[in-house]
Amino acid sequence: MKKSLGILGIFLAVCIVASVFGQNFLTGYNLMNLTQRTSLFAIISLGAGLVIITGGIDLSIGSVVCLAGITTPWLLVEHGWSPWAVIPVVLVGSALIGLFHGVLITRLRLQPFLVTLCGLLLYRGVARWMTSDQSQGFQGEFSGVRSIALAKFPIPGLDTYQLPATVIPLIVLSVAIAVFLHRTVWGRWLLATGRNESAARYSGVPTAWLITMAYVACSLLAGVGGMLFIFDIGSAQPSDFGNFYELYAIAAAVLGGCSLRGGEASVFGIVVGAATLQVLRTAIILLGLSSQLEFAVIGAVLLIGVTTDELIRRYSVRRSERKIA
Amino acid sequence: MTHPHQELLRCRNLGRRYAGVPALAGIELSVRAGEVLAIVGENGAGKSTLLKILSGVIPPSEGSIAIADGDGVLRAVQLHSVRDATRAGIALVHQELNLAENLDIAGSIFLGREPARFGFLDLHTMRTNASKWLARVGLNLDPTTPCGTLAIAQRQLVEVAKALSCEARILILDEPTSSLSAREADRLLEIMGDLRSQGKAVIFVSHHLDEVLRIADRVMVLRDGRCTGILQRGTYDRDAIERLMVGRSIETNQPRPARQDAAVRLRVTELVGAHHRKQPISFAVRAGEIVGLAGLVGAGRTEILEAIAAITPHQGRVELDGAPLSGNTAARVRQGVAIVPEDRARNGIFASSHVSMNMSLAWIDRNSRARTVNTAAERGIVAQMMDRMQLRPAEPSRLVHKLSGGNQQKSVIGRWMAVGPALLLLDEPTRGVDVSARAEIHAEIRRLADSGSSVLFASSELEEVLMLADRVIVMHDGSIAGELAAHEATEVAIMHLATGGKPAAAHSTAHEHGTEHRTSS
């Protein structure tokens, strides 16, 4: 928890700036939108976090979001499948993509960066070819299954804010991953593998299996995210749906305290990190800044956050050393 | 030109310190043209340091070096770099060959000093000259052959040719035969003899006393960074060298009950490790027994331990309590194997993690319900293990990299003590550990054995082998050179086997060969 304090501070600062200078920030509608987007992005960021714990990286998240998201309406509308068949098929397919990455990385010892970079190109290409690059959508149908992402729960006493249903999968997944990491043998072993893979192997930790499972979980969560995104927005273009989402996911994980060296993670931090990025995006619009500046602002804030975090860490290390001496 | 038996090199009071600790001190040495000088000693005795100083890789901390100039007059020199040494006529043939694989033979011989005409490579001159030098070392190869395709022995000879082409008068060879077959080694020794008769001075380091006895005119023995004697040919034998190599008095083994009747727990049959040497190894360790693997660096001890734990692949059978061990390291750990690696920082500790996490890592696997860690019980076992290993300071939340080397090692060994493995494998159990921590670690290893586990450890420190082992398996060149019970194991006996000597009469039917040291192995 202590290491999430930094990102919590940044989050609050961005929120305060946005609410003071942007008039519409604290409206129910905007906050509802923010909650929805945060939930969806946090889900894929948790997956990125699991891979980053192992010291790896997954650049294919955006393309998996696209492939899973595009396939869902494609199977439902173009091929007339039942939602009961589509959801399991898309999720199993996403997990198999992760298994493919994991096997290449642990068995063939290929570098995660390369494997998932190829994945980034591969899955988007497949999605565009499969759909002949045509926009895919639900055409006003399937409101039942889309309500997984669209349902809102009214909150007594609040008129304009309703809680989006997507916070339910986010909360369930966050709690499950937090318990997994800190309370189960596998989670402890995953963290140990990230800290020192070789020492973990000498200690009898099944490192190859754990790393593979981290990639499976990451792609599976990207698949879940892709489905929720498409349920939310209704239709999307295979050529741009999910573009750069891997970078939002990785940025959220890093802001949330994951070290790219591996072995460090905080589920709470990742969720707050994802929220911070979404507040930033909204704030840019609300403050009347050019939307073309979006990436520049996110990049600058990320850099400031990471630098501050590193400086604070060094300062506290020095202080604790002085205390011992 | 150099005259026969002219003095080429003289060292006075040569010494070298690393971070204030002397690795080499007070070396007095004189080398003459037309002689072969062997340098021998245990691991860490200072042999490599001396060679590095002579070849300009590192400067000495004290003392002086003088080298004969063209007129045969000794002049003091400062060797600041390998280039300085080369210019002074000293060439080093490395233990790890460093020929560029993608160059051809001529290219590597003249690497960095290629003959050129108008800025273009003069390939014709280069190849003609290369052929000449190759002939000098008895290599009949086309100089355009790529080095990558050469056998190790051929590469070694190309390195020697390269050294000769630098007009070197003093050739230094660091363990030249360590990666050669017996026949190739014979050939190299012959060439060293030829160089001697051509008036070169040859200095070489070797772990094989057979070679030393065969070729050396003089033998310099190093121990703990000091020269314990320089022996003239004809005035020494294998025993004399071994006594000078070992020399010091040591603590005696603590008596432990005999284990001849205990059940065999570990049985290794025809084991062949991932290493390039393919001699199958067989041995057994009984319940309650502590077996030490002794031998020089590169003798194959680590390979055996890592093969048993499946860190590296192996062929052959490994059985624990009669059941064959199979699968990867994780699977074998579950079958009762534990391994403490040699490289603590890389393979042992989780430096930026808590002591508690380091020590409970193996324990949580066997003490979880539905794969969930009981944190209260975990705190208990960590406290218990810190107490038992006498880990100081006893703070479970301290980061491991802030502990001393000895306490770091205790955290790694404690990780296994928490699960009480059936077989504990240790590679250099107390490397970089101070004396008192070493005694505490040894006591815990004995205690584990007393409870019926089998212990197999490898150590380069003979003192440790003698103190800890109930039985010593001595390795030489990838195979078992002999076995010694605790009461027969002495430093001299171990060194004798480790350097390729034949087992003594009691262990060998080949008594008549056992006393003839000069037969090559």
Side-chain angles (χ1 to χ4, degrees):
Chain A
M1 206 58 163
K2 210 161 67 183
K3 65 185 168 197
S4 306
L5 283 179
I7 180 60
L8 201 57
I10 294 176
F11 173 68
L12 292 175
V14 173
C15 283
I16 289 167
V17 170
S19 49
V20 170
F21 296 100
Q23 318 175 319
N24 294 322
F25 185 77
L26 287 178
T27 60
Y29 178 74
N30 183 50
L31 294 180
M32 194 162 73
N33 250 334
L34 268 177
T35 317
Q36 173 80 338
R37 297 241 303 263
T38 297
S39 297
L40 297 179
F41 276 98
I43 287 171
I44 61 172
S45 306
L46 288 172
L50 286 173
V51 162
I52 290 173
I53 287 174
T54 68
I57 197 83
D58 190 344
L59 299 178
S60 72
I61 292 172
S63 294
V64 174
V65 163
C66 173
L67 185 58
I70 289 294
T71 307
T72 304
W74 185 68
L75 287 177
L76 285 171
V77 176
E78 298 241 318
H79 294 269
W81 287 32
S82 144
W84 296 106
V86 171
I87 294 178
V89 162
V90 170
L91 294 184
V92 169
S94 306
L96 286 177
I97 286 175
L99 185 64
F100 174 61
H101 294 163
V103 167
L104 289 179
I105 289 161
T106 58
R107 300 287 162 205
L108 291 186
R109 305 231 149 254
L110 299 181
Q111 287 175 340
F113 190 99
L114 283 179
V115 169
T116 59
L117 178 65
C118 296
L120 179 151
L121 301 168
L122 193 59
Y123 311 132
R124 179 162 307 274
V126 168
R128 294 179 66 171
W129 164 77
M130 209 171 70
T131 59
S132 311
D133 225 358
Q134 297 301 304
S135 169
Q136 299 294 311
F138 299 100
Q139 301 177 343
E141 295 179 53
F142 301 103
S143 54
V145 65
R146 283 185 67 190
S147 65
I148 299 172
L150 288 174
K152 308 274 192 290
F153 304 113
I155 294 177
L158 290 177
D159 294 339
T160 55
Y161 185 85
Q162 293 185 315
L163 189 67
T166 47
V167 298
I168 297 172
L170 174 65
I171 291 171
V172 170
L173 287 168
S174 302
V175 171
I177 292 172
V179 168
F180 167 81
L181 278 182
H182 302 291
R183 285 288 176 272
T184 70
V185 176
W186 297 307
R188 296 285 196 87
W189 278 355
L190 190 70
L191 287 163
T193 302
R195 296 238 164 121
N196 186 343
E197 188 183 336
S198 177
R201 200 159 85 86
Y202 274 83
S203 307
V205 173
T207 50
W209 186 80
L210 284 165
I211 291 172
T212 306
M213 286 304 125
Y215 283 93
V216 169
C218 180
S219 294
L220 180 60
L221 288 172
V224 170
M227 237 184 223
L228 293 174
F229 274 116
I230 197 79
F231 286 151
D232 183 22
I233 56 181
S235 74
Q237 289 282 354
S239 57
D240 70 354
F241 178 44
N243 263 344
F244 297 118
Y245 281 17
E246 61 281 340
L247 300 186
Y248 284 111
I250 293 166
V254 171
L255 272 177
C258 292
S259 160
L260 290 180
R261 280 186 286 269
E264 302 287 338
S266 148
V267 168
F268 178 74
I270 293 172
V271 174
V272 178
T276 308
L277 291 175
Q278 296 314 313
V279 172
L280 268 176
R281 289 175 78 181
T282 309
I284 289 163
I285 297 162
L286 290 180
L287 297 180
L289 295 174
S290 165
S291 66
Q292 281 120 17
L293 269 177
E294 181 189 326
F295 281 138
V297 171
I298 291 178
V301 169
L302 191 58
L303 202 55
I304 293 168
V306 174
T307 313
T308 318
D309 188 55
E310 180 66 21
L311 291 178
I312 290 173
R313 202 183 57 82
R314 281 192 206 169
Y315 174 74
S316 63
V317 165
R318 221 174 301 150
R319 213 176 51 169
S320 70
E321 273 170 1
R322 220 174 296 151
K323 221 183 282 173
I324 291 167
Chain B
M1 284 306 294
T2 44
H3 309 284
H5 312 304
Q6 176 203 343
E7 191 172 10
L8 290 181
L9 170 78
R10 185 184 290 169
C11 302
R12 275 275 154 81
N13 192 32
L14 212 55
R16 169 75 195 189
R17 293 166 180 279
Y18 290 105
V21 181
L24 198 66
I27 299 297
E28 304 278 342
L29 178 64
S30 159
V31 182
R32 295 179 176 280
E35 79 165 341
V36 175
L37 172 78
I39 301 177
V40 299
E42 290 187 72
N43 301 322
K47 307 182 298 279
S48 297
T49 307
L50 179 56
L51 292 198
K52 281 181 190 164
I53 292 173
L54 292 180
S55 53
V57 176
I58 53 171
S61 311
E62 60 208 28
S64 65
I65 302 172
I67 293 175
D69 66 9
D71 302 322
V73 181
L74 283 173
R75 290 186 194 283
V77 290
Q78 300 284 331
L79 305 176
H80 295 295
S81 66
V82 176
R83 189 173 277 260
D84 284 351
T86 310
R87 211 173 293 142
I90 300 179
L92 173 70
V93 177
H94 281 277
Q95 185 179 7
E96 292 92 22
L97 304 177
N98 52 1
L99 292 175
E101 301 243 325
N102 53 346
L103 289 178
D104 63 11
I105 295 179
S108 30
I109 287 181
F110 291 102
L111 184 65
R113 41 190 191 94
E114 292 84 354
R117 219 191 287 168
F118 313 119
F120 291 96
L121 276 183
D122 184 353
L123 286 178
H124 180 72
T125 311
M126 201 160 112
R127 287 175 186 158
T128 319
N129 284 341
S131 296
K132 188 180 83 187
W133 296 118
L134 287 177
R136 285 279 287 278
V137 295
L139 262 189
N140 190 17
L141 285 172
D142 183 349
T144 58
T145 314
C147 288
T149 65
L150 298 179
I152 291 174
Q154 293 174 320
R155 291 192 204 193
Q156 194 113 38
L157 291 175
V158 171
E159 280 259 337
V160 175
K162 180 177 178 175
L164 293 175
S165 75
C166 302
E167 300 295 330
R169 292 170 298 164
I170 303 167
L171 270 101
I172 301 180
L173 298 98
D174 190 2
E175 294 191 42
T177 60
S178 60
S179 43
L180 302 186
S181 72
R183 186 176 304 167
E184 291 164 339
D186 280 349
R187 178 85 193 102
L188 185 68
L189 294 182
E190 272 174 37
I191 287 166
M192 285 161 65
D194 291 348
L195 294 171
R196 165 169 60 195
S197 49
Q198 290 163 23
K200 309 283 184 194
V202 179
I203 303 176
F204 78 110
V205 161
S206 180
H207 281 314
H208 300 259
L209 290 189
D210 290 321
E211 294 172 7
V212 172
L213 292 159
R214 233 176 91 187
I215 184 128
D217 299 303
R218 287 190 301 152
V219 181
M220 178 182 202
V221 186
L222 293 179
R223 184 172 74 228
D224 298 332
R226 292 184 172 275
C227 175
T228 50
I230 296 184
L231 305 168
Q232 286 285 346
R233 187 174 186 81
T235 67
Y236 62 83
D237 59 5
R238 178 180 271 276
D239 283 348
I241 298 177
E242 282 171 358
R243 268 196 305 277
L244 286 172
M245 281 169 77
V246 173
R248 74 192 112 91
S249 67
I250 48 158
E251 295 173 42
T252 50
N253 199 343
Q254 296 189 8
R256 298 182 70 246
R259 304 280 171 181
Q260 289 99 318
D261 306 326
V264 168
R265 296 204 82 168
L266 172 72
R267 186 181 293 283
V268 172
T269 316
E270 303 276 300
L271 181 81
V272 179
H275 204 262
H276 63 274
R277 287 169 301 198
K278 297 283 180 201
Q279 289 102 328
I281 299 261
S282 303
F283 63 91
V285 183
R286 295 179 182 277
E289 203 179 19
I290 303 176
V291 173
L293 286 173
L296 301 165
V297 167
R301 296 164 303 174
T302 298
E303 283 92 333
I304 290 185
L305 296 179
E306 299 206 329
I308 293 172
I311 298 289
T312 52
H314 69 83
Q315 293 161 14
R317 222 174 141 74
V318 181
E319 290 168 314
L320 189 61
D321 294 331
L325 285 177
S326 60
N328 61 10
T329 306
R332 292 187 183 197
V333 164
R334 291 202 153 183
Q335 293 166 72
V337 178
I339 182 163
V340 176
E342 177 180 11
D343 188 340
R344 182 163 58 233
R346 223 164 101 173
N347 304 324
I349 57 167
F350 299 85
S352 55
S353 300
H354 298 155
V355 170
S356 148
M357 174 274 183
N358 272 270
M359 294 185 85
S360 68
L361 198 64
W363 177 87
I364 55 175
D365 184 36
R366 291 169 214 202
N367 297 276
S368 66
R369 192 177 295 170
R371 299 267 85 192
T372 309
V373 179
N374 178 343
T375 47
E378 185 191 11
R379 276 193 292 276
I381 190 78
V382 168
Q384 198 186 323
M385 282 307 125
M386 282 194 304
D387 182 50
R388 180 164 151 194
M389 297 305 300
Q390 302 181 51
L391 193 136
R392 285 169 292 259
E395 291 170 25
S397 62
R398 181 165 283 248
L399 299 183
V400 165
H401 68 82
K402 300 208 166 157
L403 298 178
S404 70
N407 283 301
Q408 290 184 359
Q409 186 72 351
K410 286 176 176 179
S411 80
V412 178
I413 295 175
R415 183 186 302 160
W416 293 122
M417 293 300 179
V419 295
L423 170 66
L424 178 62
L425 307 166
L426 304 107
D427 199 354
E428 304 292 351
T430 60
R431 171 169 290 177
V433 168
D434 64 78
V435 185
S436 62
R438 167 196 273 212
E440 285 156 5
I441 288 172
H442 285 175
E444 281 314 310
I445 293 173
R446 284 190 196 99
R447 191 166 137 184
L448 181 77
D450 289 342
S451 73
S453 298
S454 290
V455 176
L456 179 64
F457 74 97
S459 179
S460 299
E461 294 173 56
L462 287 179
E463 206 180 331
E464 173 162 58
V465 172
L466 296 179
M467 277 194 304
L468 194 57
D470 302 329
R471 184 154 59 91
V472 183
I473 295 176
V474 187
M475 308 232 5
H476 173 68
D477 253 4
S479 49
I480 294 178
E483 272 191 37
L484 301 164
H487 66 90
E488 306 163 309
T490 59
E491 294 208 19
V492 171
I494 292 173
M495 282 312 286
H496 176 79
L497 290 170
T499 50
K502 299 290 179 291
H507 296 276
S508 171
T509 48
H511 181 203
E512 57 276 34
H513 297 295
T515 49
E516 173 53 284
H517 296 304
R518 298 206 178 194
T519 54
S520 70
S521 48

